[in-house]
Amino acid sequence: MHAYMHSVKHNYTTMPEPLRCTGSIISSELRSSRAMIFAIEEINNSTELLPGIKLGYQIYDTCASVPVAVHVAFQVSSSLDTVFYTRDNCSHSGMVMGVVGESGSTPSISISRIIGSFNIAQVSHFATCACLSDKQQYPTFFRTIPSDQFQADALAKLVKHFGWTWIGAVRSDSDYGNNGMASFLDAAHKEGICVEYSESFYRTHPRSRIQRVADVIRRSTAMVVVAFTAPGDLKILLEELSLKPSPPRQWIGSEAWVTDQDMLRFSFCAGAIGFAIEKSVIPGLRDFLLDLSPSKVAASPVLTEFWEDTFNCRLRKSAATDKSVCDGTEDIQMIQTPYTDTSQLRITNMVYKAVYAIAHAIHNAVCQETNFTTQCDKFTKTEPKEVLTQLKKVSFSQNGYDVSFDANGDPVAKYELVNWQKSESGSIELVTVGHYDASLPAGQEFSINRKLTWVEGGTQVPVSVCTDSCPPGTRKVLQKGKPICCYDCKPCPEGEISNVTDSPDCFPCPKEFWPNAVRDTCLPKPVEFLSFSEVLGIILAAFSVGGACLTVITTAVFYHHRKSPIVRANNSELSFLLLFSLTLCFLCPLTFIGPPSEWSCMLRHTAFGITFVLCMSCVLGKTIVVLMAFKATLPGSNVMKWFGPPQQRMTVVFFTFIQVLICTIWLVLSPPFPMKNLTTYKKRIILECALGSAIGFWAVLGYIGLLAVFCFVLAVLARKLPDNFNEAKLITFSMLIFCAVWITFIPAYVSSPGKFTVAVEIFAILASSFGLILCIFAPKCFIILFKPEKNTKKHLMKNNQS
């Protein structure tokens, strides 16, 4: 009934004063005690529950104090004091069957430890400490209000639901606050919620302690404050916070204070949300509460004190006060107090259900159902242990509300989510905005069915985080020495992405994918190859076709002048074969352009190798012809009969066959094949032809190089032979260019990346081909077309004759 116990300093020389309470009456607790009387009178008037048996009662005021609660517990447990009024027709007046209460967890713990030894059942309506579910320590304790363990889990899920990961916490320094907050912090940790501070205080602590807690709240960066406190404790803290301007805070409340009508006067807490016991209706209770006749008020010291506090008067004249005198006839219906307000019956219904639970247990212990009638033996002595046994089994419905207990003595946990909202008149009122039912499957317990109002009347959910969420494309890096909710957002490393908010890690893209610019998704890498549609491919293809056309034109010129001395001077058959091979050499680069395929990869290298060997064989044959022709001019020499046209053809075929054999072995054992090069570039894929066998590739090139060096050596030896048109000089220059190109090609080919490797190879093919056609055939075409006077046998032999 009162919040404080009168404190006395003991001198240990005289008997201490009797324990007594101080402070004003707590209207809601008075209403609960009157609800208990109302329930007992309903039961006593019932013809179905305990017919013929009357229940008696005694109500004690514990002053929310452990010493007073312990004193009451000993009174209940022993028969030293008469607990109940004695009636003549009572078989065992004074025997306690059960205890309803206490409102607080700490006094309930003290009471339970004492009366539990006597197997006296205790049913609390408001003690929510999870510790009381321990049947090893509190075997006779039951409650009609859910354990704080359920509330703590619900609060943690509520905080997580709104995305608050950085919160402050305050609690009563009592069993209720400490155990409740411990359960909440454990549940919050599992939900990934960080706590900036956790402060405890109690209403009897010095003001300096309360001020320190208030300053912590003011200085904190957490917008959300979770308070697991008793109403009397939080009231002192909020009064301290109201003395100085404080940053707006979003309050999250436990059942103990969030539905307390007295707390609604703190307007700066508007927008507070929390879980509350389901609102209920008890028919007839309001009329019973208002039925306070002057005689009832005068007969009860508690009602007298309540009446005087409510009307600010004195029922008796007193010289010590200037208050007016009242007589108990004042109209209490005109006064708005928590006592008369039955619109929010929550805890009061828990008292109502607790009384009925004990009554049903007694009923099951002493009554039997026979022939549709109930017979109760009121003269048989009933032990408290029997009532305790029956209380574990009770299951009934009263006014539509189910009552039962689990193995821990706890009921099914059901809550309403309430929100402090400002009404049109400016006052704060409790509004139910959702529900929580712990009996539902995981993930379905929590529901919100109405719009909430937040701190300072806001409609947007406030933000309470240590660090803003890391967007996709970044990862969280914890700040040293701070909770896990405080972190820096670091961009994902190259080649890795994160596609969710607040990702702890980045993960690499698949091999053929690469992150976009934001690094929140993997995109297919662009595929790169030397294409006919790009500038470089167009240029190389144009030179390739142009070279082939130039060769065809040269062939046409030679064919048109095939009987002229300059064409016939050095085996015209080899010249035409050389022009044919050069045409193929010019066309080879076209197989290197475009997306590689299995056939194109095999064709490009083998065609290139064979055509170039054919070309080198022709050049080699022409060089040998020059040397043999000079030797044939010497007296007595018939060397030309050993290297005539048939031998020249066989030479070309032989050298070419060797290259064909090399290429065949290469293609059979380990042919080139198309592949995706993922290593040269990180951000794109190079489509290229793998060599298959590097030995085969370099054997083909080596053989071409060997023939080129051989030609070059022979051409150098023949360059000074007497002839007005010595073809050996032209071959020397062409081989010099050819060798220079391919010697340069090797380091360029090895070091060029991606499609440029192909471009280098094409360039080498075109450069060497142009070198051959320009050095060998351009001078001849010039004479044929522009200097026809030199295209005579006389002119060609002029130098020899001189």
Side-chain angles (χ1 to χ4, degrees):
M1 304 290 186
H2 297 82
Y4 300 96
M5 181 189 73
H6 178 66
S7 58
V8 179
K9 291 185 178 180
H10 301 289
N11 55 18
Y12 302 101
T13 59
T14 59
M15 288 293 291
E17 297 180 16
L19 299 175
R20 57 191 178 88
C21 303
T22 62
S24 58
I25 288 285
I26 302 174
S27 300
S28 58
E29 293 290 344
L30 176 61
R31 183 180 63 193
S32 295
S33 66
R34 295 283 293 166
M36 175 181 170
I37 299 172
F38 173 76
I40 292 175
E41 291 188 0
E42 270 191 347
I43 295 167
N44 288 341
N45 294 327
S46 173
T47 58
E48 296 179 358
L49 186 62
L50 292 173
I53 294 180
K54 302 295 181 184
L55 299 179
Y57 62 88
Q58 179 73 13
I59 298 175
Y60 286 90
D61 183 2
T62 62
C63 318
S65 166
V66 171
V68 178
V70 170
H71 179 72
V72 170
F74 278 119
Q75 283 186 313
V76 170
S77 303
S78 65
S79 56
L80 297 178
D81 295 337
T82 301
V83 179
F84 299 132
Y85 297 113
T86 303
R87 298 188 177 209
D88 295 338
N89 61 347
C90 286
S91 60
H92 45 275
S93 61
M95 183 170 289
V96 178
M97 292 293 104
V99 173
V100 175
E102 212 265 358
S103 300
S105 294
T106 301
S108 292
I109 289 172
S110 302
I111 294 172
S112 182
R113 289 189 185 280
I114 296 171
I115 68 175
S117 303
F118 300 93
N119 293 318
I120 299 175
Q122 177 187 358
V123 184
S124 175
H125 60 285
F126 207 14
T128 56
C129 179
C131 58
L132 287 164
S133 297
D134 185 354
K135 293 295 104 176
Q136 295 293 327
Q137 298 190 58
Y138 314 103
T140 65
F141 182 84
F142 299 81
R143 51 187 161 196
T144 52
I145 189 170
S147 163
D148 279 338
Q149 183 61 56
F150 298 105
Q151 185 177 192
D153 292 341
L155 286 172
K157 290 177 182 177
L158 177 69
V159 172
K160 182 67 175 180
H161 175 78
F162 291 112
W164 299 321
T165 58
W166 186 240
I167 63 172
V170 294
R171 66 186 186 277
S172 293
D173 193 6
S174 62
D175 290 291
Y176 168 73
N178 292 328
N179 285 280
M181 184 56 73
S183 298
F184 168 76
L185 293 179
D186 182 58
H189 178 72
K190 293 177 182 177
E191 296 288 349
I193 300 166
C194 300
V195 180
E196 182 181 9
Y197 59 87
S198 180
E199 297 291 332
S200 64
F201 64 98
Y202 197 66
R203 57 181 174 271
T204 58
H205 284 167
R207 188 186 175 192
S208 59
R209 174 76 173 269
I210 307 298
Q211 287 176 329
R212 186 182 67 79
V213 176
D215 289 339
V216 169
I217 295 174
R218 292 190 184 102
R219 292 194 304 265
S220 70
T221 58
M223 165 67 81
V224 174
V225 182
V226 177
F228 226 108
T229 66
D233 299 335
L234 187 62
K235 176 182 175 183
I236 295 174
L237 177 62
L238 295 181
E239 288 174 347
E240 183 63 37
L241 285 170
S242 64
L243 297 178
K244 292 182 182 178
S246 301
R249 292 289 182 260
Q250 175 65 48
W251 290 87
I252 310 297
S254 61
E255 157 57 65
W257 69 268
V258 79
T259 57
D260 193 291
Q261 298 292 321
D262 287 338
M263 303 298 293
L264 297 178
R265 61 188 176 90
F266 295 101
S267 58
F268 63 88
C269 291
I273 57 175
F275 289 104
I277 299 303
E278 290 182 304
K279 188 166 57 175
S280 57
V281 176
I282 303 177
L285 178 61
R286 177 173 172 79
D287 294 335
F288 179 82
L289 294 176
L290 298 178
D291 183 19
L292 296 177
S293 63
S295 59
K296 288 182 180 179
V297 173
S300 170
V302 173
L303 290 177
T304 298
E305 183 180 350
F306 166 70
W307 200 271
E308 291 177 345
D309 288 346
T310 301
F311 294 101
N312 194 24
C313 65
R314 300 292 292 179
L315 286 172
R316 296 177 299 275
K317 292 184 179 180
S318 173
T321 180
D322 295 332
K323 292 182 179 179
S324 61
V325 179
C326 49
D327 56 8
T329 60
E330 289 76 16
D331 189 0
I332 195 171
Q333 297 188 37
M334 303 300 293
I335 303 298
Q336 293 295 327
T337 69
Y339 175 80
T340 59
D341 184 9
T342 57
S343 63
Q344 296 282 341
L345 292 180
R346 300 178 188 275
I347 304 305
T348 304
N349 192 44
M350 299 297 104
V351 179
Y352 186 75
K353 293 199 295 187
V355 174
Y356 267 91
I358 295 177
H360 275 271
I362 297 173
H363 178 93
N364 295 337
V366 301
C367 301
Q368 292 182 348
E369 303 288 338
T370 57
N371 298 327
F372 304 103
T373 61
T374 303
Q375 299 293 329
C376 297
D377 186 358
K378 61 182 177 180
F379 296 104
T380 301
K381 186 177 181 180
T382 304
E383 294 295 333
K385 188 173 183 179
E386 296 180 50
V387 177
L388 175 62
T389 302
Q390 294 298 328
L391 189 59
K392 297 176 182 179
K393 304 175 184 177
V394 297
S395 179
F396 63 94
S397 180
Q398 186 67 30
N399 291 337
Y401 305 108
D402 296 329
V403 180
S404 63
F405 303 103
D406 63 14
N408 296 323
D410 295 324
V412 175
K414 292 183 179 181
Y415 296 100
E416 287 181 355
L417 180 62
V418 296
N419 184 209
W420 288 17
Q421 297 185 4
K422 280 191 176 182
S423 63
E424 295 180 358
S425 62
S427 62
I428 298 178
E429 57 184 21
L430 281 177
V431 177
T432 301
V433 294
H435 293 85
Y436 181 88
D437 187 347
S439 63
L440 294 177
Q444 301 178 20
E445 314 100 324
F446 186 60
S447 64
I448 295 178
N449 50 32
R450 187 168 175 175
K451 192 173 183 180
L452 283 80
T453 299
W454 303 103
V455 60
E456 295 185 321
T459 56
Q460 296 295 323
V461 179
V463 177
S464 186
V465 294
C466 181
T467 307
D468 289 335
S469 295
C470 290
T474 62
R475 62 186 179 94
K476 297 194 298 185
V477 178
L478 298 182
Q479 296 178 359
K480 190 175 181 180
K482 292 188 177 181
I484 60 171
C485 299
C486 300
Y487 45 81
D488 296 319
C489 298
K490 299 291 185 181
C492 286
E494 189 178 56
E496 297 184 5
I497 69 161
S498 64
N499 54 7
V500 295
T501 303
D502 287 334
S503 175
D505 295 299
C506 299
F507 54 90
C509 290
K511 289 184 178 181
E512 296 187 15
F513 291 78
W514 191 255
N516 59 355
V518 186
R519 296 182 182 177
D520 61 354
T521 187
C522 291
L523 301 176
K525 290 181 181 178
V527 178
E528 185 179 89
F529 55 88
L530 190 59
S531 167
F532 285 105
S533 60
E534 60 180 300
V535 175
L536 181 59
I538 293 172
I539 292 174
L540 293 176
F543 274 98
S544 176
V545 174
C549 292
L550 180 63
T551 309
V552 171
I553 293 171
T554 303
T555 303
V557 171
F558 266 56
Y559 182 77
H560 184 69
H561 299 86
R562 60 186 179 279
K563 295 183 179 180
S564 63
I566 199 168
V567 174
R568 299 179 61 190
N570 193 342
N571 196 333
S572 60
E573 185 177 339
L574 284 180
S575 296
F576 284 111
L577 187 58
L578 177 58
L579 286 170
F580 171 72
S581 63
L582 281 175
T583 303
L584 295 179
C585 288
F586 276 117
L587 293 177
C588 269
L590 297 180
T591 63
F592 286 80
I593 303 174
S597 64
E598 185 176 353
W599 287 103
S600 68
C601 287
M602 290 190 292
L603 179 63
R604 64 173 58 172
H605 289 104
T606 53
F608 149 71
I610 293 172
T611 54
F612 259 82
V613 165
L614 179 61
C615 183
M616 288 296 100
S617 299
C618 294
V619 173
L620 182 61
K622 292 174 72 66
T623 308
I624 295 174
V625 166
V626 172
L627 288 173
M628 294 299 106
F630 177 74
K631 296 291 184 181
T633 60
L634 297 177
S637 175
N638 60 349
V639 69
M640 282 304 295
K641 74 175 183 178
W642 299 108
F643 200 73
Q647 288 79 13
Q648 294 172 18
R649 296 189 197 101
M650 289 300 299
T651 301
V652 172
V653 171
F654 175 74
F655 285 126
T656 305
F657 176 75
I658 294 175
Q659 184 72 308
V660 171
L661 185 62
I662 294 173
C663 290
T664 302
I665 295 173
W666 181 17
L667 293 180
V668 170
L669 296 181
S670 182
F673 57 90
M675 66 167 288
K676 294 179 180 180
N677 185 343
L678 304 172
T679 58
T680 303
Y681 294 107
K682 295 178 179 179
K683 299 182 180 180
R684 56 184 185 268
I685 299 173
I686 305 298
L687 280 184
E688 61 184 18
C689 288
L691 296 177
S693 171
I695 296 175
F697 174 72
W698 292 110
V700 168
L701 285 185
Y703 184 63
I704 296 172
L706 180 65
L707 291 182
V709 171
F710 191 31
C711 285
F712 177 70
V713 171
L714 293 180
V716 169
L717 293 176
R719 74 187 188 284
K720 292 184 179 180
L721 295 178
D723 195 345
N724 194 38
F725 189 82
N726 188 355
E727 197 173 28
K729 295 179 182 179
L730 304 180
I731 295 174
T732 301
F733 282 112
S734 66
M735 289 298 101
L736 191 62
I737 294 173
F738 185 92
C739 293
V741 167
W742 286 99
I743 291 173
T744 309
F745 161 79
I746 295 174
Y749 180 84
V750 172
S751 61
S752 296
K755 63 182 180 181
F756 296 105
T757 304
V758 178
V760 166
E761 191 168 355
I762 293 175
F763 177 79
I765 293 172
L766 293 177
S768 55
S769 299
F770 275 110
L772 287 172
I773 194 169
L774 292 177
C775 290
I776 295 177
F777 294 99
K780 296 180 179 181
C781 288
F782 179 78
I783 292 175
I784 292 172
L785 298 176
F786 302 105
K787 298 287 186 179
E789 67 276 7
K790 294 183 178 181
N791 189 8
T792 61
K793 187 175 181 180
K794 180 182 178 181
H795 178 76
L796 293 176
M797 301 298 296
K798 183 179 179 180
N799 192 41
N800 288 341
Q801 292 174 354
S802 62

